[in-house]
Amino acid sequence: MSYFSLVMILIFMTYFKSDAQEIDPLTLVVDTENIQEPAYKYCYFSGQQPGTDIRNHVDTVSVGDIVIWNGVSSSSSNHKVRITTISHQSGDNIFESNVLRERNGNGKVRGKVKEGTEGMQEKYIITFKVIIPGSGTEEYSIDPKLVVRSN
Amino acid sequence: MIKLITKYYLNLNSTIFQIVILFALLIFLSVPALKAQSSSNIDSARIIYESGEFVGEDLLPVLRILAEYSDVPDKLQFSNELIELASKYDSPEYLYIGYLQKGNSYLLISELVPALENLFEAGRIAEAENMSIKAGRASIAIADVYSVRDDHTNAIRYYNRAISQLKNENDSLGIATAYENMGDEYLTVGEPDSALKCFEKSGKIFKAYNFEDGIAYNNGNRGIALAMMGLNDSAKVMLNKAITQLELMEDYYPIPIYLSYMSDVYMNQGNEVVAINYSKQSLDIAKKYGLTDQISDVNLKLSELYEQTGDYKNSLEHYKQYKEFRDSVNDQASIQEMANLRTDFEINKKQMEVDLLNQQKENQRIIFIAVVVALFLMIVIAVGLFRRNKFIAHTKKIIEREKGRSDDLLLNILPSEIAEELKESGKVKARRFEEVSVLFADFIGFTKHSESLSPEQLVNTVDYYFSKFDEIIEKNGLEKVKTIGDAYMCAAGLPFPDEDHALKVTRAAFEMAEFVDQSKIIENNEIIHFDVRIGISSGPVVAGVVGTKKFAYDIWGDTVNIASRMESNSQPGKINVSEYTCKLISNHYNCVSRGEIDVKNKGKMKMYFVEPTTTIASKETEKSKIRESNY
């Protein structure tokens, strides 16, 4: 690779470098074996303090962050947890749209925190499907919070 | 800032209009049950239609689905086919749907005059068939057209009319639609307070029915109204709710307008970055759905926002885009404006026709009521007159009957001529009659017998004799004057002069005497047998009526006194007459002189007993004379 090529690659990467930075996914851990309504009793986020209520759990993000939600089962590796939508419930909407949807059927949802949202808080509804082979699919939702770091 | 927002609000009016149309059609077509069936049914309906399996009347429901759920221009084509088929099979319900969907088709392509014509026809059919809900729906559609035409007065008028029609049928969803669209109309004329009141009413109904589309639009519209009122936090809540709901339903068309208002809210709160983000988001969706008006407006807004942040490059860029789209829009607007002039004229003409028709209907109604009231009054008056006439006739009959009885009574008391005179003048003039014969008859021993008789027996006896005497004097044309106890007094020659007065009285006297004599052979314990004494005198008398009560016709004069003396000096069964009477009857009766007899207060007077005639010839002669005198 010539020097010129290296310079061009560097320029290309610099130009198309996104300000957005992907943070660690917000992983929803679900007791798929026992889950029933109310669903919040059978779920928690991976970074959540033990013994706390997921409804009161607040994740902190920064402007420009790309937030990814995914789900896992705490009961069985055969069980699937698919996050389908993240929809605004109250407070300010800190993402590009009020409803973020699963892309490509991968069970994950991603959203970018908008500029100018520093210090804003959003309560949102995370909707997910629990797929248990042989038992079918059930849909549940819970409503945690996100807060954007202030400058 | 407020000025900017105000300007921006005004620029967004056309978009609000689009939301009104969209929402109106959405409500009509997206009642949950219908919404579910629409997408699947329209495909099935089209397959059935194209297969030709359904013909005639069976095709009506298929065409209905196609007319309701197809896009223009198919919607218009199916509406026309539905109208034609419904007319052929005389189905007003399908005919109504055909005209309604045809009107909606024209509305979607902004052909407002034919839209109104067809919607009016749909409304007319619904009202004629008493389909109040359908009439209300047609009124909403008509109001939507007026709203799009910026005819605020007629728009509000038809929304209110729709609400009134739908309330009669408790069509809650229809009422909610009318309130929602009326609220939109108030937003377009800058009256957010009135709009909010309408949205509160419609929102309650949508929530009660859990009608998601209605709830989403209602939240968005409330957000706009609150933003226009400067209530930013409340506006933000409602707009966010609406945007979330619409995104979940994947109904992106109205979202740009709500995002624009979100931009205004954040701008008001001093967060220019977020405001720009919302405007950019709005622009992206507007571009995606080709909303040229909004692309232009949002570009201007972004230009101003960037200018305020010192980003002149972006400001210039968006201003250029604004100009580009505005020119494009203005070109279209100029063309549209020219078309609108004609449309306005035709719409006004159509509205005048409708108003005139309504006025005619109202006039006909008033005339009908007036005629009914007049007829009723005439019937009441006629019945009243009939009853009054009947009452008068009845009363008259009673009066005439009573008058007849009164006359009869009077004639019993008085001679008919005297009675007539008394009735006419209220009094009777005393008259002198020169030639009168007066008869007195008296029962011998009556006073003596009366002491031993019961009152009933006494009265029966007197009645028996006097009744017969009455018959006799009536037969002989005499006038009964009075009775005094057992004495009977009558006269001839009054009240009209009669030259045969003496003959008539004499004949009657013989009949009386004969009757009394013959009564002696009758065996009746109730009747007492008497002898009668009769006296007659002729000469002048004065006759008249005395008193004001219990009128009595009486006669006075010397002739009367002499007649009384003749009677008192007579003998049982005999007829004693005065000299002058004897002279008057001497050609017909044999008068046997009794010589001169001393009479109290009169001195000696000549008296004669009249002998009954013995020959038939003389009797016939007498009868013929009497008959002649009666004529």
Side-chain angles (χ1 to χ4, degrees), chain A residues 85 87-89 91-93 95-99 101 114-117 120, chain B residues 236 239-241 243-244 247-250 252 266 271 273-274 277-278 281:
Chain A
T85 57
S87 54
H88 173 272
Q89 188 184 38
D92 296 287
N93 173 38
F95 297 104
E96 308 95 324
S97 64
N98 285 39
V99 178
R101 293 180 188 278
K114 285 189 297 190
E115 287 183 4
T117 57
M120 293 180 181
Chain B
K236 202 193 299 182
L239 289 168
N240 259 326
K241 276 187 182 179
I243 293 165
T244 304
E247 283 183 0
L248 283 170
M249 291 186 291
E250 298 185 58
Y252 296 103
Y266 279 100
N271 194 332
V273 178
V274 175
N277 278 338
Y278 270 114
Q281 196 180 342

Side-chain angles (χ1 to χ4, degrees), chain A residues 6 35 47 54 68 81 89 95 102 107 109 128 130 147-148 150:
Chain A
L6 281 173
I35 190 168
I54 192 170
I68 297 172
V81 176
Q89 188 184 38
F95 297 104
E102 172 192 17
V109 172
F128 58 96
V130 173
V147 65
V148 185
S150 301

